[in-house]
Amino acid sequence: MNIYYELLKYGKVLEKIYLKDYTTIKVGGMARYLFYPTNIKNLQKALKYLKKIKYPSFILGMGSNILATDDFHDLVIIKLDHLSSEFIINNELLKISSNYKLSNATKKLNHLGYGNFLGFSLIPASIGGAIKMNASCYGNTISDTLVKIITINKNGKIKIYHKEDLHFKYRKLLLEEIILYSFFKLYSQSDLNTLEESISIKKKSTQVYDYPNFGSVFKNGEIKSYQLIKDTNMQGVKIGGAMFSLKHANFIVNLGEAKAKDIFTLIKMVQKKVYYQYKVNLNLEVIIL
Ligand SMILES: Cc1cc2nc3c(=O)[nH]c(=O)nc-3n(C[C@H](O)[C@H](O)[C@H](O)COP(=O)(O)OP(=O)(O)OC[C@H]3O[C@@H](n4cnc5c(N)ncnc54)[C@H](O)[C@@H]3O)c2cc1C
């Protein structure tokens, strides 16, 4: 059976897309299919079909934490952009769909006087991606006020998980399911717009917003990763079109024509140097696809 025509029954399908067009670092080879389900029922049907034919899929948010290899990706990239977008507050409980932009949700909550997402306005994430990556900024972590999530698994089964049943780690939720909705217990806070602005100014002055990137390359350990990268003289080192940023050493920037292989070379070089000099393993924060 033709996968393209089967998926077409359940939503929009694009064939042979380049992942570099769907990731913030603007790197990544071709993927066979990109699928936008029109509703959850159709997503269920598509997942059941893919499971039946044993064809792999990958859920993509805004692609801001993804390093996709230059190879051909024989799979279906699933994006939730065409599902209905929800932001509903009831009794101080926010229900929000995974396709909602974190920056927009932050602006809305700040405006309404709820401090849950304070500091998140510059994180280029979808809510689903932010929950999966347990995004955080200056001490505020997205899972802090999470109450529950609604997910769908590879069999198309819808499930509800309460926070206490979920395992959140540093930049990771240990759950291999697609998150559809998240629920947050809202709390009031004052001066949010002023606080958000000062966080944004601080972030813009220390982090990288002028070149394509995927945020921090490595997780932080006892010694901050940017410090280890600086100490091994890797800041500013360039391979092909990729470079450890001069502004923040734990960011790799795409200077124009970077390939994933350039980025992998930089990653391996610095990991080797840091281990050799400090016996410290630098662990990737970015997700490899
Ligand atoms: C300029 C810049 C600044 C950044 N600043 C920060 C920061 O301050 N703090 C921070 O924590 N991160 C930061 N990041 C990293 C990144 O934005 C976060 O990790 C973000 O949460 C990724 O969200 P996304 O929607 O882009 O997910 P993607 O990058 O598309 O995906 C990331 C992971 O989430 C999974 N995923 C995506 N959607 C879903 C879903 N609906 N259900 C289940 N899994 C899903 C993907 O399969 C993948 O494993 C920054 C990145 C950039 C480029």
Side-chain angles (χ1 to χ4, degrees), residues 34 60 125 130 151 195 197 209 239 260:
L34 172 60
L60 189 67
T151 66
L195 291 168
E197 207 185 319
Y209 290 93
I239 302 280

Side-chain angles (χ1 to χ4, degrees), residues 174-216:
L174 298 175
L175 186 73
E176 293 309 316
E177 298 187 13
I178 296 178
I179 301 156
L180 298 171
Y181 298 102
S182 303
F183 296 76
F184 295 88
K185 181 80 199 136
L186 298 176
Y187 65 88
S188 300
Q189 196 175 337
S190 51
D191 290 332
L192 286 165
N193 288 334
T194 319
L195 291 168
E196 189 72 42
E197 207 185 319
S198 65
I199 292 173
S200 296
I201 291 170
K202 199 166 156 196
K203 277 192 96 171
K204 278 184 186 158
S205 70
T206 52
Q207 300 188 1
V208 184
Y209 290 93
D210 48 356
Y211 284 100
N213 67 81
F214 40 55
S216 299

Side-chain angles (χ1 to χ4, degrees), residues 24 58-66 80 98 122-126 128-130 132-137 171 177-179 203 207-209 213-215 251 285 287:
T24 56
F58 183 86
I59 174 76
L60 189 67
M62 285 176 62
S64 62
N65 212 25
I66 302 286
L80 306 180
S98 283
L122 287 181
I123 305 180
S126 62
K132 174 68 186 174
M133 295 310 299
N134 200 14
S136 73
C137 181
R171 295 290 190 273
E177 298 187 13
I178 296 178
I179 301 156
K203 277 192 96 171
Q207 300 188 1
V208 184
Y209 290 93
N213 67 81
F214 40 55
F251 278 64
E285 176 171 328
I287 304 290

